[in-house]
């Protein structure tokens, strides 16, 4: 992927990441987070990690965020009221950010393993979903079946414990 | 006829689903029949298990060794007795369910223990942390539902919430511990972990020890060892009585097989293994003291059995602490077999008596010897065995545990255990005193016992004596 696209997606991701914090309405924040996740998924795809990219969209942008929105609407959260800016707190926040970036950069540059070149990933003809599937259904087949049973038990339990009147 | 060993779990699973489906097709039938279907199905599984021997499983995460088969049989037997109890208890369940038809919710109450049994069977064979974890969760999550099953009973709900929160915390500890162990050894398989451990660097040993201790905390919760026993008295008292029996026998015994396997895996590196054993000894001391001393003032029979369950976990931990001795595994197995018989027998009698007295207090048992000499005798045998009187199964179990402790020279632990056995005599015989020396309340009728319960009680009483009087027969049947 060309560097231009990389910067575009990074900009989108950071902008909407900021909007999550700055937006006053909880629904707006949650939707901004969805867009941020989508841009992150695009970055994964640009690194040839198609599977993680798809999972990022399906699980995070799909399931988790819908759950968030559902709870926000269920609780009927209103927009936050405007608060006065606390000047010392803002200054303190910036000091912490600067110190953190300083520590991070020092650690990053002093970590020698970070400069190592990675060997190219061997790309099989089947793609990564195929590999995940093979591991899941061969090596971890029994645990997968047990998880299936677990979900069955959990769904029975939900019905039994939450249905208003049992028939 | 032999099956691949994994088929036993799948058969039990299919049986559970069958019971769920039966409800759809036979809506009008008496749903207690579904429990009978479960009992018959599990009995068939038990016979096949009895006929099958240890062998290769063809999977790295799943073993079929003699202990695995023994614990599978133990899970199946426990579930059978729990289903028998559930039939007697069904009327109480119905009273506390918000239902618009008289039998609503009973089918699931009989199906869930069968599904839990499948989870316990998987756990008995698991030697990979991933399989251990998912099957442990299957068992735990079914218990969340079962404990809180009587929705309109406040104490059942309270028990459910307590169990949910504390159990989730314990699960968190277990997973965190597993990640530490994986981080250092890069393995989740116990066999491979024990091969890799001797070659890890000294710097990494604290990491492994930390992980192993966290796993020990998580398992300590499952087996109700002090100081992770907070939940036990309230949950045991609030849960439906058959489920209390299931928790106290089933959940505890599969916890012990996993504990044995984990502690054994870490013995390949003495620097970590020895410290782990020390931790187990400390747990055993705390558990013995807490379980037996706190049981002394109890007046509620269910609560008494809860503390007794903690106390017995202490004796079992003594056997685990002596894992270097040859007979350690056998001592755990014999003790659990005896514990299964006497605990289930007590709960079975408790269900029948409280159905006709209306409560779980020890006072309910006053003069039981006059009202129902048979039940009183059965409970007498159970109490004697729990206390560890010679010629009963409980004595054999304690004998084996003390032998292991003696071989590994844990003299302090033995001294302490002897004192706590003395305490045990006091509180178990309190129940016997109520049955035989207290006058019965006026105008109470004799207590009817269903045929199924009668058969189960007679078999368990006989087995307690067989284990106690002819231990060589029993030891021949049990795995080494």
């Amino acid at each position: 992927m060309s560097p231009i696209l990389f910067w575009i997606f990074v900009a989108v991701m950071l902008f909407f990441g900021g909007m999550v914090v700055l937006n006053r309405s909880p629904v707006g924040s949650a939707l901004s987070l969805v867009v941020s996740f989508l841009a992150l998924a695009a970055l994964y795809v640009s690194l040839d990690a198609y599977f993680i990219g798809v999972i990022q969209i399906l699980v995070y942008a799909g399931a988790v965020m819908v759950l968030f929105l559902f709870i926000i609407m269920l609780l009927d959260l209103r927009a936050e009221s405007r608060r006065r800016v606390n000047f010392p707190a803002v200054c303190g926040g910036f000091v912490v950010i600067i110190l953190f970036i300083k520590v991070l950069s020092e650690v990053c540059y002093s970590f020698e393993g970070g400069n190592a070149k990675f060997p190219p990933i061997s790309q099989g003809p089947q793609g990564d979903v195929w590999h995940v599937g093979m591991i899941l259904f061969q090596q971890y087949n029994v645990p997968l079946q047990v998880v299936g049973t677990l979900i069955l038990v959990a769904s029975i339990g939900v019905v039994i414990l939450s249905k208003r009147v049992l028939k | 006829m032999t099956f691949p060993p994994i088929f036993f779990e799948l058969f039990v699973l299919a049986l559970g689903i069958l019971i769920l489906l039966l409800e759809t097709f036979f809506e009008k039938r008496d749903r207690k029949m579904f429990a009978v279907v479960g009992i018959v199905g599990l009995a068939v599984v038990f016979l096949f298990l009895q006929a099958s021997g240890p062998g290769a499983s063809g999977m790295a995460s799943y073993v079929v060794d003699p202990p695995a088969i023994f614990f599978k049989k133990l899970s199946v037997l426990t579930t059978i007795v729990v289903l028998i109890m559930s039939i007697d208890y069904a009327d109480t369940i119905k009273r506390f369910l918000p239902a618009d038809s008289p039998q609503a919710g009973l089918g699931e109450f009989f199906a869930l223990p069968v599904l839990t049994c499948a989870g316990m069977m998987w756990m008995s064979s698991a030697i990979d942390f991933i399989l251990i974890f998912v099957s442990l969760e299957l068992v735990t999550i079914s218990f969340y539902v079962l404990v809180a099953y009587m929705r309109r009973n406040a104490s059942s709900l309270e028990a459910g919430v307590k169990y949910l929160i504390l159990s989730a915390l314990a699960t968190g500890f277990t997973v965190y511990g597993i990640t530490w162990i994986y981080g250092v050894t890069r393995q989740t398989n116990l066999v491979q972990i024990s091969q890799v451990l001797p070659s890890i660097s000294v710097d990494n040993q604290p990491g492994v020890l930390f992980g192993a201790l966290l796993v020990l905390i998580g398992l300590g919760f499952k087996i109700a060892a002090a100081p992770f026993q907070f939940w036990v008295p309230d949950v045991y008292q609030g849960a439906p009585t058959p489920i209390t029996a299931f928790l106290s026998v089933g959940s505890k015994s599969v916890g012990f097989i996993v504990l044995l396997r984990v502690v054994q895996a870490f013995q390949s590196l003495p620097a970590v293994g020895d410290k782990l054993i020390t931790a187990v000894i400390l747990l055993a001391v705390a558990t013995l003291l807490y379980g037996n001393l706190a049981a002394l003032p109890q007046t509620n029979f269910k609560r008494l059995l809860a503390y007794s369950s903690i106390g017995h976990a202490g004796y079992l931990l003594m056997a685990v602490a002596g894992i270097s001795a040859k007979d350690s595994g056998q001592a755990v197995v014999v003790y659990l077999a005896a514990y299964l018989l006497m605990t289930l027998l007590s709960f079975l009698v408790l269900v029948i008596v409280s159905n006709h007295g209306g409560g779980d207090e020890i006072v309910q048992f006053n003069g039981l010897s006059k009202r129902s000499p048979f039940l009183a005798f059965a409970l007498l045998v159970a109490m004697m065995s729990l206390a560890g009187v010679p010629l009963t199964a409980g004595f054999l179990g304690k004998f084996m545990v003390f032998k292991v402790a003696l071989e590994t020279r844990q003299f302090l632990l033995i001294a302490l255990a002897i004192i706590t056995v003395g305490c045990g005599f006091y509180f178990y015989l309190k129940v016997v005193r109520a049955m035989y020396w207290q006058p019965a309340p006026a105008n109470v009728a004799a207590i009817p016992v269903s045929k199924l319960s009668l058969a189960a009680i007679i078999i368990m009483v006989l087995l307690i004596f067989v284990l106690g009087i002819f231990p060589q027969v029993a030891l021949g049947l049990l795995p080494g």
Side-chain angles (χ1 to χ4, degrees):
Chain A
M1 190 165 66
S2 70
I4 304 167
L5 280 177
F6 171 80
W7 288 113
I8 291 176
F9 283 125
V10 166
V12 170
M13 189 177 91
L14 289 180
F15 174 75
F16 281 96
M19 286 307 287
V20 175
V21 183
L22 296 175
N23 215 319
R24 287 198 185 280
S25 133
V27 179
S29 286
L31 289 175
S32 309
L33 196 55
V34 172
V35 180
S36 177
F37 280 158
L38 288 178
L40 183 62
L43 289 183
Y44 286 144
V45 171
S46 75
L47 292 170
D48 283 346
Y50 296 104
F51 183 65
I52 299 181
V54 171
I55 288 296
Q56 170 81 15
I57 294 177
L58 283 182
V59 176
Y60 280 93
V64 174
M65 283 320 297
V66 168
L67 201 67
F68 263 141
L69 280 175
F70 189 69
I71 291 171
I72 290 170
M73 291 177 178
L74 194 74
L75 296 178
D76 196 19
L77 294 180
R78 300 283 158 75
E80 260 183 313
S81 58
R82 187 171 289 274
R83 276 177 305 186
R84 231 178 321 136
V85 177
N86 185 345
F87 189 69
V90 172
C91 289
F94 273 108
V95 170
V96 171
I97 291 174
I98 289 165
L99 286 179
F100 178 70
I101 290 177
K102 186 172 152 44
V103 171
L104 197 66
S105 60
E106 273 182 17
V107 169
C108 284
Y109 283 111
S110 65
F111 180 58
E112 286 164 10
N115 295 325
K117 284 267 187 294
F118 284 105
I121 301 169
S122 63
Q123 192 85 38
Q126 293 91 358
D128 22 349
V129 180
W130 187 86
H131 287 287
V132 171
M134 287 315 266
I135 290 177
L136 208 55
F137 286 97
Q138 286 185 335
Q139 197 180 347
Y140 294 108
N141 192 7
V142 184
L144 193 73
Q145 308 297 331
V146 180
V147 170
T149 318
L150 195 156
I151 293 172
L152 172 71
V153 167
S155 51
I156 298 171
V158 166
V159 173
I160 284 290
L161 293 182
S162 65
K163 203 169 171 206
R164 193 157 296 184
V165 175
L166 296 168
K167 291 215 171 84
Chain B
M1 190 162 55
T2 52
F3 293 118
I6 195 92
F7 270 48
F8 294 118
E9 282 90 350
L10 293 182
F11 187 79
V12 174
L13 181 61
L15 186 69
I17 297 172
L18 174 77
I19 298 176
L20 278 179
L21 290 181
L22 279 179
E23 205 177 324
T24 325
F25 296 110
F26 301 101
E27 216 172 334
K28 296 283 180 287
R29 286 288 181 85
D30 183 2
R31 290 197 188 160
K32 288 178 186 167
M33 285 309 294
F34 302 167
V36 177
V37 171
I39 292 168
V40 173
L42 287 173
V44 171
V45 174
F46 183 80
L47 291 179
F48 275 113
L49 271 172
Q50 190 68 40
S52 77
S57 71
M59 278 173 283
S61 59
Y62 184 97
V63 283
V64 193
D65 50 1
I69 295 198
F70 171 79
F71 278 90
K72 279 179 213 269
K73 281 193 240 170
L74 199 114
S75 313
V76 171
L77 269 188
T78 312
T79 316
I80 291 178
V81 181
V82 167
L83 285 179
I84 294 177
M85 272 188 244
S86 306
I87 295 178
D88 284 338
Y89 201 73
D91 295 324
T92 317
I93 291 284
K94 277 193 244 171
R95 223 169 348 121
F96 290 112
L97 277 179
D100 59 359
S101 69
Q103 297 207 52
L106 274 188
E108 288 86 353
F109 190 70
F110 299 138
L112 281 175
V114 178
L115 294 174
T116 316
C117 176
M120 297 201 286
M121 289 167 76
W122 271 310
M123 223 164 129
S124 322
S125 278
I127 51 160
D128 189 299
F129 269 127
I130 292 179
L131 186 57
I132 290 175
F133 178 70
V134 290
S135 46
L136 191 76
E137 278 308 282
L138 170 58
V139 173
T140 314
I141 286 180
S142 340
F143 273 120
Y144 293 159
V145 181
L146 286 169
V147 166
Y149 209 87
M150 301 196 292
R151 266 166 59 190
R152 292 204 298 196
N153 181 331
S155 62
S156 172
L157 281 182
E158 183 198 332
V161 172
K162 272 193 181 145
Y163 188 59
L164 172 73
I165 292 174
L166 290 173
S167 192
L169 187 69
T171 302
F173 278 116
T174 313
V175 180
Y176 189 40
I178 293 173
T179 53
W180 270 89
I181 296 168
Y182 177 75
V184 176
T185 62
R186 301 193 183 180
Q187 302 291 342
T188 54
N189 192 301
L190 288 175
V191 178
Q192 258 134 36
I193 286 175
S194 98
Q195 281 168 1
V196 169
L197 273 181
S199 60
I200 64 168
S201 72
V202 181
D203 292 346
N204 282 335
Q205 283 178 3
V208 174
L209 181 65
F210 184 58
L213 289 178
L214 284 170
V215 172
L216 184 67
I217 291 176
L219 290 174
F221 178 89
K222 292 284 174 286
I223 60 174
F228 316 112
Q229 87 304 341
F230 319 97
W231 60 283
V232 174
D234 290 339
V235 172
Y236 276 31
Q237 194 180 358
T241 312
I243 303 311
T244 311
F246 206 16
L247 261 180
S248 110
V249 179
S251 174
K252 190 189 292 271
S253 48
V254 286
F256 267 102
I257 174 79
V258 174
L259 184 65
L260 269 178
R261 291 196 199 281
V262 170
V263 173
Q264 186 68 57
F266 285 93
Q267 295 309 307
S268 65
L269 181 63
V272 172
D274 290 349
K275 292 200 180 84
L276 200 58
I277 293 288
T278 312
V280 173
I281 292 174
L282 290 177
L283 276 188
V285 169
T287 312
L288 281 172
L289 280 177
Y290 183 85
N292 287 293
L293 293 182
L296 290 175
Q298 299 306 323
T299 57
N300 181 300
F301 191 47
K302 245 168 139 180
R303 237 179 145 77
L304 179 79
L305 285 174
Y307 285 105
S308 132
S309 157
I310 300 175
H312 285 289
Y315 298 113
L316 282 160
L317 280 171
M318 273 173 77
V320 176
I323 199 153
S324 54
K326 186 165 59 69
D327 293 340
S328 163
Q330 198 184 32
V332 171
V333 160
V334 171
Y335 201 101
L336 275 174
Y339 177 76
L340 166 121
L341 291 172
M342 53 212 193
T343 307
L344 288 181
L345 183 58
S346 321
F347 276 110
L348 197 52
V349 176
L350 169 68
V351 166
I352 297 170
V353 171
S354 66
N355 259 354
H356 292 270
D360 310 323
E361 298 294 320
I362 294 180
V363 187
Q364 300 285 336
F365 290 81
N366 278 356
L368 190 69
S369 62
K370 303 276 187 324
R371 292 155 67 196
S372 178
F374 171 70
L375 285 180
F377 176 72
L379 196 55
L380 172 71
V381 173
M383 289 295 126
M384 289 297 180
S385 183
L386 281 168
V389 175
L391 300 186
T392 59
F395 175 75
L396 177 65
K398 290 219 169 57
F399 178 79
M400 300 283 294
V401 167
F402 279 78
K403 198 174 121 214
V404 167
L406 209 58
E407 270 174 35
T408 48
R409 312 184 78 73
Q410 310 280 2
F411 297 119
L412 206 68
L413 207 53
I414 293 177
L416 192 75
I418 289 174
I419 297 171
T420 55
V421 167
C423 298
F425 270 91
Y426 171 76
F427 59 79
Y428 290 124
L429 294 187
K430 218 161 64 169
V431 182
V432 175
R433 191 181 70 122
M435 290 191 303
Y436 283 89
W437 281 280
Q438 299 287 337
N443 61 41
V444 280
I447 298 171
V449 182
S450 73
K451 283 203 188 87
L452 210 53
S453 303
L454 190 71
I457 290 177
I458 291 175
I459 291 173
M460 285 199 279
V461 169
L462 285 179
L463 279 176
I464 286 178
F465 281 124
V466 170
L467 264 175
I469 299 174
F470 306 109
Q472 62 277 29
V473 179
L475 292 183
L477 287 175
L478 297 169

